[in-house]
Amino acid sequence: CYFEPFVGAEKLSRYPDQQPQKLVDALCRLYDVSSRNMAVTRGADEAIDCLIRAFCTPFQDNVIICPPTFAMYEHSANIHGIEVKEVPLTESFGLDTNQVKTVQDKGTKIIFVCSPNNPTGNLMDVEDILVLCKSLQDMALIVVDETYIDYAKTRATILPHLQNNPNLVVLRTLSKSHAA
């Protein structure tokens, strides 16, 4: 959409593109994903906020978080009137998939999984995440926040599983490992 403030002016865009094609293409190459699986936001916090606004109805739906974990999931949910259900991590800081499935109900729209977890730093088991994806396939998004994946000893990313799990969302950010 171009704005022409006077006759003869052309190619003057009032606002930058929401999804700049060169940036999308570069990120797709960096992460080896298809552009149909890519949305650019201004950091993971905005992505969290956008997901909650897009998939949750205020005062009706809920999200599940697994504390101790990144505070922004709860913060964004609270701002938008979304109930937050908690399923604590296990004693070894892993996902309690059985408890997540027990707590989940028809109002659960998003389950946030931070891997590597913030603040504990451990990676979540990919198989546990895939169990959630399969068992909640037609019910909820499984949002895996891989903000700190570049700092993990093994980069066991969930990205290769995007194609086979339509309810899987992976968050990445350039602000941690690529910031100057």
Side-chain angles (χ1 to χ4, degrees):
C1 172
Y2 293 101
F3 175 68
E4 294 189 26
F6 54 90
V7 175
E10 54 187 55
K11 303 282 184 192
L12 295 176
S13 180
R14 190 170 212 179
Y15 301 103
D17 291 340
Q18 280 289 349
Q19 299 294 305
Q21 195 58 52
K22 286 182 182 179
L23 178 59
V24 169
D25 293 343
L27 291 172
C28 288
R29 285 190 305 276
L30 177 65
Y31 297 125
D32 193 27
V33 297
S34 166
S35 62
R36 71 176 190 268
N37 291 339
M38 176 69 64
V40 176
T41 61
R42 280 89 187 143
D45 288 0
E46 184 182 36
I48 293 162
D49 185 73
C50 288
L51 287 165
I52 289 173
R53 285 188 289 138
F55 291 95
C56 298
T57 302
F59 310 108
Q60 180 178 318
D61 293 332
N62 66 74
V63 299
I64 295 176
I65 64 171
C66 302
T69 195
F70 186 45
M72 195 63 179
Y73 313 134
E74 183 173 10
H75 179 71
S76 284
N78 288 335
I79 285 173
H80 297 294
I82 306 303
E83 179 187 3
V84 177
K85 294 185 174 192
E86 294 186 2
V87 175
L89 296 176
T90 64
E91 285 184 22
S92 60
F93 298 115
L95 289 174
D96 188 340
T97 57
N98 290 330
Q99 189 63 20
V100 169
K101 290 187 276 186
T102 299
V103 168
Q104 179 271 337
D105 61 26
K106 65 181 176 127
T108 304
K109 298 300 188 259
I110 301 173
I111 297 157
F112 288 103
V113 177
C114 195
S115 181
N117 190 36
N118 173 2
T120 61
N122 61 298
L123 285 165
M124 299 301 156
D125 186 289
V126 169
E127 291 306 315
D128 287 344
I129 297 169
L130 294 176
V131 163
L132 291 177
C133 287
K134 295 289 184 221
S135 62
L136 302 174
Q137 185 171 342
D138 297 322
M139 295 175 252
L141 291 178
I142 310 302
V143 177
V144 180
D145 184 347
E146 291 189 342
T147 293
Y148 293 100
I149 195 76
D150 291 329
Y151 298 105
K153 290 179 184 174
T154 60
R155 294 188 182 157
T157 178
I158 195 84
L159 281 174
H161 300 280
L162 276 174
Q163 292 296 92
N164 299 322
N165 296 282
N167 62 333
L168 177 61
V169 175
V170 180
L171 303 181
R172 290 285 187 94
T173 183
L174 299 174
S175 68
K176 304 300 183 255
S177 59
H178 293 81

